[in-house]
């Protein structure tokens, strides 16, 4: 393997790392979890070559923080185990109807050009439905209780957590850090139920976005709920809320009339989040005013997975319902998180974007679902079709 940088997305938009892949199969120091730790790398566990690779990126203003990839890319047509459950859809108002329309996707004035924000292009979007809120811990708990699903972070045994949220006791047990972004730490036992490690829980955060979910975890939940992940184009169209060529879901001013519209970092990153918006860490999924389509927290709070594979090359041609590349190694995420600050990660804009490997998880990464029709509409169509078939059969007897 040549000594060259590899880039893998992950922990979520607020740091930069730089490393080289060296002797990746020669990691002689076993950890308590059985993973091998690379002696020359201030990184999380090292895996075999076929399961590459590291936590990487280059230090540039506003570029992303990336976490290790723990498996091969998924196929775009993968069959998910969990199918529609009525239990997942108790609230008929959970989804908003997003009307068909055309909008300008991306921007001709990219803030972070290496992310592929440009060019601005006209995109036609069909009518669809989008969850009004990010999927919260209570909803994900219902999914796990119903199916017995185990997230990838739980199976791997660790996930990345922002240092500022960790207890001193947990930090004392961590002897690794990311050299260029020391606020990201690999925490054993960190997962959706224990967002800051084994001494934390979600009992007082059931209405906050579920975190530490990989792309596959999100896709499995959506399948169980009779939904799917939104495409990047759908997500951005919905984020804009009917506005054209605006930075944020509500307009161009971050704090119109002195009001806060999103949960992002205030103060000096990464040392002090003053919490002027009312929150340090995540906020309830219902916090802050909705956009023009009735969607909450489309930027800030938690990064959100989309269906698309990642690319930074886009045609300026007009398109209809684009779905991104047919394959890839990373998936697109949108919206930024509570860790985003203009001085370091100006990605809480509608046109902003980043990426992660599908198996990545972190303490600022979640999702929401989309659908062509509401699950209840789909069931009604099935009932109507069944009755129509029975009527025809009766008529021929």
């Amino acid at each position: 393997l040549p000594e060259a940088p590899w880039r893998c997305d992950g922990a979520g938009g607020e740091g930069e790392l730089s490393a080289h892949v060296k002797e990746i199969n020669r990691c002689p120091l076993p950890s308590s979890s059985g993973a091998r730790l690379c002696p020359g790398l201030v990184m999380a566990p090292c895996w075999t070559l076929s399961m590459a690779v590291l936590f990487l990126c280059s230090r540039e203003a506003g570029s992303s923080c990336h976490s290790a990839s723990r498996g091969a890319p998924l196929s775009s047509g993968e069959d998910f185990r969990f199918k529609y459950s009525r239990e997942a859809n108790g609230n008929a108002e959970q989804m908003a109807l997003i009307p068909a329309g055309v909008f300008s996707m991306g921007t001709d004035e990219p803030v972070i050009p290496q992310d592929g924000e440009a060019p601005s292009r006209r995109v036609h979007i069909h009518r669809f439905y989008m969850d009004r809120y990010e999927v919260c811990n209570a909803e994900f708990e219902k999914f796990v209780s119903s199916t017995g699903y185990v997230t990838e972070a739980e199976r791997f045994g660790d996930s990345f957590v922002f240092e500022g949220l960790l207890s001193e006791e947990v930090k004392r047990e961590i002897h690794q850090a990311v050299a260029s972004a020391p606020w990201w730490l690999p925490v054993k036992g960190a997962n959706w139920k224990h967002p800051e490690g084994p001494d934390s829980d979600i009992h007082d955060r059931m209405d906050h976005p579920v975190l530490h979910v990989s792309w596959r975890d999100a896709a499995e939940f959506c399948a169980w709920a009779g939904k799917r992940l939104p495409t990047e184009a759908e997500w951005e169209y919905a984020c804009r809320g009917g506005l054209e060529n605006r930075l944020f879901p509500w307009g161009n001013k971050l704090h119109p009339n002195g009001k806060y519209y999103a949960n992002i970092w205030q103060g000096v990153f990464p040392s002090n989040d003053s919490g002027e918006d009312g929150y340090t860490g995540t906020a309830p999924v219902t916090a802050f005013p909705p956009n023009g389509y009735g969607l909450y927290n489309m930027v800030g709070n938690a990064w959100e997975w989309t269906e698309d594979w990642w690319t930074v090359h886009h045609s300026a041609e007009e398109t209809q319902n684009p779905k991104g590349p047919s394959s890839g190694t990373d998936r697109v995420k949108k919206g930024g998180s509570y860790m985003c600050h203009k001085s370091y990660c100006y990605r809480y804009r509608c046109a902003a974007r980043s990426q992660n490997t599908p198996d990545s998880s972190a303490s600022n990464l979640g999702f929401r679902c989309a659908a062509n029709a509401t699950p209840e509409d789909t069931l009604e169509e099935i009932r109507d079709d069944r009755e129509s078939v029975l009527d025809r059969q009766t008529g021929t007897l």
Side-chain angles (χ1 to χ4, degrees):
L1 182 69
E3 185 176 312
W6 289 51
R7 177 173 168 136
C8 304
D9 235 327
E14 292 80 27
E16 280 79 29
L17 330 170
S18 185
H20 290 278
V21 179
K22 290 183 179 180
E23 298 177 307
I24 218 151
N25 283 311
R26 299 188 347 175
C27 304
L29 306 179
S31 72
S32 60
S33 65
R36 294 173 295 161
L37 306 181
C38 300
L41 301 174
V42 281
M43 297 309 312
C46 198
W47 297 275
T48 61
L49 182 58
S50 64
M51 297 179 66
V53 190
L54 298 173
F55 217 144
L56 307 170
C57 36
S58 60
R59 172 133 189 144
E60 299 174 13
S63 70
S64 290
C65 185
H66 307 291
S67 66
S69 172
R70 299 193 262 209
L74 302 173
S75 67
S76 57
E78 183 153 2
D79 220 357
F80 296 105
R81 289 182 295 157
F82 300 112
K83 303 305 180 185
Y84 172 75
S85 167
R86 179 182 291 274
E87 183 184 4
N89 297 284
N91 183 1
E93 300 299 317
Q94 185 179 22
M95 303 194 85
L97 173 63
I98 311 300
V102 59
F103 79 112
S104 296
M105 183 175 179
T107 177
D108 285 330
E109 298 178 348
V111 177
I112 310 173
Q114 65 268 29
D115 281 356
E117 294 179 0
S120 177
R121 60 266 187 202
R122 298 297 284 171
V123 173
H124 294 259
I125 297 293
H126 56 188
R127 160 183 146 152
F128 70 102
Y129 290 84
M130 180 82 103
D131 280 354
R132 294 182 185 274
Y133 314 105
E134 297 157 311
V135 173
C136 67
N137 286 314
E139 292 174 302
F140 202 79
E141 183 180 62
K142 188 188 299 183
F143 163 59
V144 170
S145 297
S146 175
T147 63
Y149 185 77
V150 178
T151 63
E152 292 198 285
E154 290 173 287
R155 287 191 280 116
F156 289 123
D158 59 23
S159 190
F160 281 87
V161 182
F162 173 58
E163 180 186 23
L165 300 176
L166 295 173
S167 68
E168 291 302 318
E169 182 178 356
V170 168
K171 283 192 280 189
R172 280 196 297 270
E173 298 298 317
I174 300 172
H175 307 293
Q176 299 168 285
V178 178
S180 298
W183 47 86
W184 277 119
L185 300 178
V187 177
K188 292 179 182 178
N191 55 57
W192 74 274
K193 291 182 291 188
H194 306 287
E196 293 82 50
D199 65 349
S200 66
D201 60 55
I202 57 173
H203 291 152
D204 61 348
R205 289 179 279 179
M206 297 306 286
D207 59 348
H208 287 226
V210 64
L211 305 172
H212 297 288
V213 286
S214 69
W215 183 91
R216 184 185 180 91
D217 298 335
E220 293 280 17
F221 176 96
C222 290
W224 172 74
K227 306 175 187 179
R228 57 176 174 79
L229 287 169
T231 66
E232 181 181 8
E234 288 174 333
W235 192 99
E236 186 170 328
Y237 178 63
C239 178
R240 294 181 181 278
L243 301 179
E244 185 73 4
N245 296 317
R246 296 294 186 269
L247 290 172
F248 311 116
W250 55 88
N252 282 330
K253 293 184 178 180
L254 183 58
H255 304 305
N257 300 317
K259 295 181 179 180
Y260 289 91
Y261 281 74
N263 177 22
I264 57 175
W265 190 280
Q266 290 94 39
V268 179
F269 183 85
S271 60
N272 175 49
D273 182 359
S274 62
E276 293 168 25
D277 56 19
Y279 302 96
T280 57
T282 56
V285 298
T286 56
F288 304 100
N291 72 0
Y293 289 150
L295 307 177
Y296 292 72
N297 289 293
M298 288 298 289
V299 298
N301 216 26
W303 282 97
E304 298 182 16
W305 287 111
T306 74
E307 175 64 27
D308 290 23
W309 291 109
W310 172 262
T311 182
V312 296
H313 305 293
H314 312 288
S315 170
E317 297 295 318
E318 196 163 330
T319 56
Q320 302 268 350
N321 303 310
K323 296 184 177 180
S326 60
S327 62
T329 56
D330 298 341
R331 297 281 187 174
V332 177
K333 63 180 182 181
K334 298 279 283 185
S337 80
Y338 64 87
M339 291 177 63
C340 283
H341 188 278
K342 188 174 183 178
S343 69
Y344 208 80
C345 174
Y346 191 26
R347 288 187 172 86
Y348 46 91
R349 297 168 291 113
C350 297
R353 58 203 301 269
S354 191
Q355 89 272 30
N356 283 88
T357 53
D359 52 6
S360 298
S361 63
S363 61
N364 63 350
L365 181 54
F367 70 103
R368 77 179 70 209
C369 305
N372 294 337
T374 66
E376 288 303 319
D377 288 343
T378 301
L379 287 180
E380 187 65 35
E381 290 177 9
I382 292 171
R383 283 192 291 267
D384 290 345
D385 288 344
R386 183 180 300 145
E387 289 173 3
S388 178
V389 169
L390 290 174
D391 288 345
R392 289 199 299 272
Q393 289 176 337
T394 302
T396 59
L397 292 177

